[in-house]
Amino acid sequence: MANRPFFAFHFHKQAHTPMYIQLAEQLQTAILHGAFLVDGQQLISLRDMKTVSGCSLETVKKAYDHLAEEGWLEAVHGKGYYLTQRAKEARLESRLPLTDIPIASLADSSPRPGEELVKRLRSAFYDSLTVLDEPSAQKKVRRAHAAKVFADHLGRRGLPHSPERILSFNRSTSGFAFLAQRIMSPRDVVFVEEYSYPVFLRLLSQCGITVRPIRMDEEGISLEALDAEQEHYPANWLLINPHYHFPTGISYSRERKEKLLEWAVQRNVRLVENDHYGDLWFEKPSSSLYQMALETQSSVQVYYLHSLSKTLARDLQLGVLMLPSDLGESELERYRQIVSMTGAEPSLLVVEAAVRLLDDPWFSEVYLADRRALFQSRFQRLWKEKHHALPAHARMYPILGGLNTWIEWGAPSAKAAESEDRIVAMLLAEGLELTPGHAFRVADEPEDTLRRPAVRFPLAPMEERELKHWLYRLGAALIR
């Protein structure tokens, strides 16, 4: 079967556009890229396309015939479907260059929701429509109930059941913006891991807050580097991703977390614990910093940020911020009012739909378990192939959960960004979009910073065989 370059199909079964039209439109793109062609002239057989696309034979036949009607294919009896002169000219003119629209993208690591979850979400939204007509007092009761349900969900992660300390936002980014704008001060200094979430870094800079990146080792943020930086730029805050670090995939050990809490107490530094992919672990992680601080009655303040969008649906924007345990009721109420006044609260319709899902044992006992097993299987497949796919100077990070791994290569260099861009450009020419390591670093990083080149390699957007294919293509690019 002609299957190079790779092409990933994505169908929207709930869309008004018929499936055969969706398939035909994507095949038109594939043809321009040279995918699924035999000797560059003939499209692969109906049965082969049925296997590749996952569509029925009838849908594939209708898609091929549609392209024939549109002048892209010509049906030759007994032989198959061939490109017309128009299609050949379109390919030669490069109307759709690879540098503009990649065949496959690993730039977004967010998973698509499963079919059963979409079905239940649709039902939950439909059943929740009545909340739009309810009086304000009843809506307030519903939000209070939602906080209890969110607290129950976080309790399965190991967080204390404290619904009164939960603020819900229309996305986790809004929760962090609330922290940066309403709780942090423009005079503050925030230490961050050397690889961090770019959106958060931009938010801090926009608020006039000083951001200082701290070197990481194999267990997470370096304690020695923290001490060294504290001598020059004393921090007020430390922003970290200890459960499943974004984007490297490192999971902090309990010992490292304990030492970080001790360090924060000694330096009088407040912590922001970002649980970016909080529900997607393969092996249940050690306790959160928030929980550990509470158990040891530590004096350090910990703000815990959790995204529900990754486990529900990426377009269902919902994030939760848990406030420190030592805040009084008056301060908690003031924060709740600020969130409400600034419009950062999620729609009550979204909240109610999420509550119905999180309250359903199926979600935590079946759906989340299946998702964790799915991503574990994909990672294990890549881990098994890494010795064959990657050269000796490359390294794939082991992970215990989450949606991506991290691949480094070569020796530390001040030109790591150049090496990353070269590899990313080479793969883009083959049809794959990857995110380079420098995209996750602070914007004003010194030019002489030494580090190994790296790329993020997500597990969510593709099937196992596609991931395996692109891992080998990455490995081939690293030895050119």
Side-chain angles (χ1 to χ4, degrees), residues 90-243:
R91 287 196 62 211
L92 290 174
E93 292 173 8
S94 298
R95 293 180 183 172
L96 199 60
L98 291 171
T99 51
D100 291 341
I101 303 179
I103 287 175
S105 176
L106 290 179
D108 182 5
S109 63
S110 299
R112 293 182 296 276
E115 289 187 16
E116 180 63 22
L117 180 65
V118 171
K119 176 182 175 183
R120 291 178 184 239
L121 263 177
R122 189 184 302 113
S123 175
F125 272 110
Y126 180 80
D127 293 341
S128 302
L129 286 173
T130 55
V131 305
L132 301 177
D133 297 325
E134 291 180 344
S136 298
Q138 181 59 31
K139 290 178 180 178
K140 187 175 181 179
V141 171
R142 286 193 180 276
R143 289 195 182 276
H145 173 67
K148 292 181 180 178
V149 173
F150 295 156
D152 288 340
H153 180 70
L154 294 180
R156 289 189 282 271
R157 166 68 179 88
L159 275 291
H161 192 273
S162 305
E164 72 282 357
R165 301 192 178 279
I166 285 180
L167 299 179
S168 58
F169 292 86
N170 51 27
R171 52 179 24 185
S172 58
T173 302
S174 298
F176 186 76
F178 173 81
L179 271 171
Q181 296 167 359
R182 304 289 176 173
I183 300 179
M184 295 180 182
S185 165
R187 298 181 301 276
D188 284 349
V189 174
V190 179
F191 285 175
V192 301
E193 295 144 322
E194 62 176 336
Y195 292 101
S196 300
Y197 188 35
V199 177
F200 285 6
L201 297 180
R202 287 195 294 270
L203 273 169
L204 290 171
S205 297
Q206 289 167 5
C207 292
I209 295 167
T210 300
V211 179
R212 303 295 300 180
I214 307 298
R215 175 176 54 83
M216 299 178 67
D217 57 30
E218 293 187 355
E219 291 188 53
I221 199 165
S222 166
L223 294 168
E224 294 77 10
L226 278 173
D227 283 332
E229 190 69 15
Q230 186 75 1
E231 295 299 321
H232 301 287
Y233 293 92
N236 308 95
W237 297 84
L238 172 60
L239 167 62
I240 53 174
N241 298 250
H243 157 45

Side-chain angles (χ1 to χ4, degrees), residues 141-423:
V141 171
R142 286 193 180 276
R143 289 195 182 276
H145 173 67
K148 292 181 180 178
V149 173
F150 295 156
D152 288 340
H153 180 70
L154 294 180
R156 289 189 282 271
R157 166 68 179 88
L159 275 291
H161 192 273
S162 305
E164 72 282 357
R165 301 192 178 279
I166 285 180
L167 299 179
S168 58
F169 292 86
N170 51 27
R171 52 179 24 185
S172 58
T173 302
S174 298
F176 186 76
F178 173 81
L179 271 171
Q181 296 167 359
R182 304 289 176 173
I183 300 179
M184 295 180 182
S185 165
R187 298 181 301 276
D188 284 349
V189 174
V190 179
F191 285 175
V192 301
E193 295 144 322
E194 62 176 336
Y195 292 101
S196 300
Y197 188 35
V199 177
F200 285 6
L201 297 180
R202 287 195 294 270
L203 273 169
L204 290 171
S205 297
Q206 289 167 5
C207 292
I209 295 167
T210 300
V211 179
R212 303 295 300 180
I214 307 298
R215 175 176 54 83
M216 299 178 67
D217 57 30
E218 293 187 355
E219 291 188 53
I221 199 165
S222 166
L223 294 168
E224 294 77 10
L226 278 173
D227 283 332
E229 190 69 15
Q230 186 75 1
E231 295 299 321
H232 301 287
Y233 293 92
N236 308 95
W237 297 84
L238 172 60
L239 167 62
I240 53 174
N241 298 250
H243 157 45
Y244 176 78
H245 177 257
F246 178 91
T248 67
I250 293 173
S251 291
Y252 285 42
S253 66
R254 183 178 180 89
E255 181 182 7
R256 178 60 59 92
K257 292 177 183 177
E258 290 172 346
K259 290 181 178 178
L260 281 171
L261 284 174
E262 293 173 6
W263 180 89
V265 170
Q266 294 169 1
R267 305 294 188 175
N268 193 27
V269 172
R270 286 180 281 183
L271 303 182
V272 181
E273 181 179 14
N274 182 26
D275 220 346
H276 194 74
Y277 294 138
D279 297 311
L280 295 172
W281 62 76
F282 310 154
E283 299 179 18
K284 190 166 183 177
S286 60
S287 300
S288 67
L289 286 170
Y290 192 105
Q291 179 185 6
M292 292 169 65
L294 195 65
E295 290 172 349
T296 59
Q297 298 182 331
S298 172
S299 61
V300 65
Q301 283 193 332
V302 183
Y303 293 79
Y304 175 87
L305 191 62
H306 189 101
S307 172
L308 291 168
S309 304
K310 306 296 185 299
T311 45
L312 290 171
R314 57 184 173 182
D315 292 326
L316 193 153
Q317 301 290 354
L318 186 60
V320 170
L321 176 66
M322 183 171 280
L323 299 172
S325 58
D326 62 347
L327 297 185
E329 179 54 40
S330 60
E331 198 166 9
L332 294 173
E333 181 59 29
R334 182 171 69 87
Y335 286 149
R336 283 193 288 267
Q337 290 178 5
I338 292 175
V339 175
S340 178
M341 288 188 297
T342 55
E345 277 187 320
S347 159
L348 190 56
L349 185 60
V350 170
V351 168
E352 276 297 299
V355 162
R356 290 172 186 270
L357 276 176
L358 297 178
D359 238 355
D360 186 344
W362 169 86
F363 180 76
S364 59
E365 297 173 10
V366 178
Y367 184 73
L368 276 184
D370 287 346
R371 300 297 269 182
R372 291 166 184 157
L374 172 67
F375 296 128
Q376 182 181 33
S377 171
R378 289 180 182 176
F379 173 70
Q380 288 178 337
R381 176 67 178 270
L382 292 179
W383 188 255
K384 182 179 179 181
E385 296 290 342
K386 66 181 175 64
H387 295 299
H388 304 290
L390 300 177
H393 64 80
R395 178 198 177 198
M396 176 188 292
Y397 277 38
I399 60 174
L400 300 178
L403 299 175
N404 64 268
T405 184
W406 188 251
I407 298 175
E408 289 183 340
W409 66 88
S413 166
K415 297 184 180 298
E418 295 179 17
S419 178
E420 291 165 353
D421 287 341
R422 181 179 65 85
I423 295 300

